[in-house]
Amino acid sequence: MARPEVIKTQLGKRLRSIRTHFGDPEREEFCLRLGIGKASLANYERGDRIPDSDVLASYRAVFNIDINWVVTGKGAMFEADRDRPPGQVNAEILEILTDSVQRIYLDLGQKPPARRLSGEAVRLYNDLVAVVDDVNDKEEVMAVLPQVELRLKRRLQQATAEPGTGKRSA
């Protein structure tokens, strides 16, 4: 049985979250891509050691990781997300929200048309933008998502209960 992973620092947690984001490959496989040793990666992810600038540069070059995010935890994990112009929608987050909307409709026993799913997903996205600091920060979005999902669920339940709204159980 493997020992539980103990991560001592926020930097270690962010480094570990990068590997998790990519499907949690084995350290050996991940190290090969970064060009570092397995023990070094383990030390960085646990927070026992701090990676030097060459290692951080490898994270940037290989995975397009925003080094500022690694060091401070502020902003987006990926440089591509940081460079997204204001007002441009994060497609990954929108897909997550569309899945949420579909699940909520199913939970309520309703089968909406596809256009309804996309419209509600955009409304959910707008609700998120109103309450999160950075809509590109997936961790923050996932933390707040249950709250905005509950608002959607209640809105749909209220619409179903009101006659003449055109919304009914499937």
Side-chain angles (χ1 to χ4, degrees):
M1 180 185 223
R3 292 183 306 190
E5 202 170 41
V6 176
I7 301 175
K8 301 172 185 172
T9 66
Q10 292 300 313
L11 175 63
K13 287 179 184 177
R14 287 189 291 277
L15 291 171
R16 178 65 178 99
S17 72
I18 294 168
R19 191 159 53 97
T20 302
H21 177 84
F22 288 102
D24 210 9
E26 294 293 324
R27 278 194 177 117
E28 190 170 331
E29 177 187 336
F30 204 72
C31 292
L32 288 173
R33 294 187 69 191
L34 285 172
I36 62 175
K38 185 177 172 181
S40 293
L41 181 62
N43 284 324
Y44 300 148
E45 288 184 354
R46 281 194 308 265
D48 290 337
R49 298 190 68 208
I50 297 173
D52 62 24
S53 61
D54 290 339
V55 172
L56 294 175
S58 290
Y59 273 96
R60 182 179 182 273
V62 174
F63 299 111
N64 199 32
I65 300 298
D66 185 339
I67 295 172
N68 183 57
W69 174 81
V70 172
V71 174
T72 67
K74 303 223 185 281
M77 180 188 289
F78 297 98
E79 287 189 346
D81 291 339
R82 181 193 68 204
D83 296 336
R84 182 180 290 112
Q88 190 172 11
V89 175
N90 181 324
E92 179 185 13
I93 299 297
L94 190 57
E95 287 174 1
I96 291 168
L97 297 177
T98 302
D99 291 344
S100 292
V101 170
Q102 188 169 23
R103 182 182 38 75
I104 290 168
Y105 269 103
L106 289 173
D107 289 349
L108 295 173
Q110 299 179 16
K111 187 178 180 192
R115 64 181 168 71
R116 174 72 61 191
L117 289 175
S118 59
E120 290 294 352
V122 169
R123 286 182 196 88
L124 213 56
Y125 191 93
N126 291 334
D127 289 348
L128 273 173
V129 169
V131 294
V132 298
D133 292 328
D134 180 5
V135 75
N136 295 314
D137 182 343
K138 189 174 176 183
E139 183 179 17
E140 183 180 11
V141 167
M142 297 310 285
V144 173
L145 186 56
Q147 178 184 5
V148 293
E149 285 178 337
L150 180 61
R151 289 183 198 164
L152 170 62
K153 185 176 181 178
R154 287 181 177 165
R155 188 169 67 235
L156 293 175
Q157 287 171 327
Q158 181 180 9
T160 301
E162 295 174 7
T165 63
K167 296 183 180 176
R168 57 179 171 72
S169 296

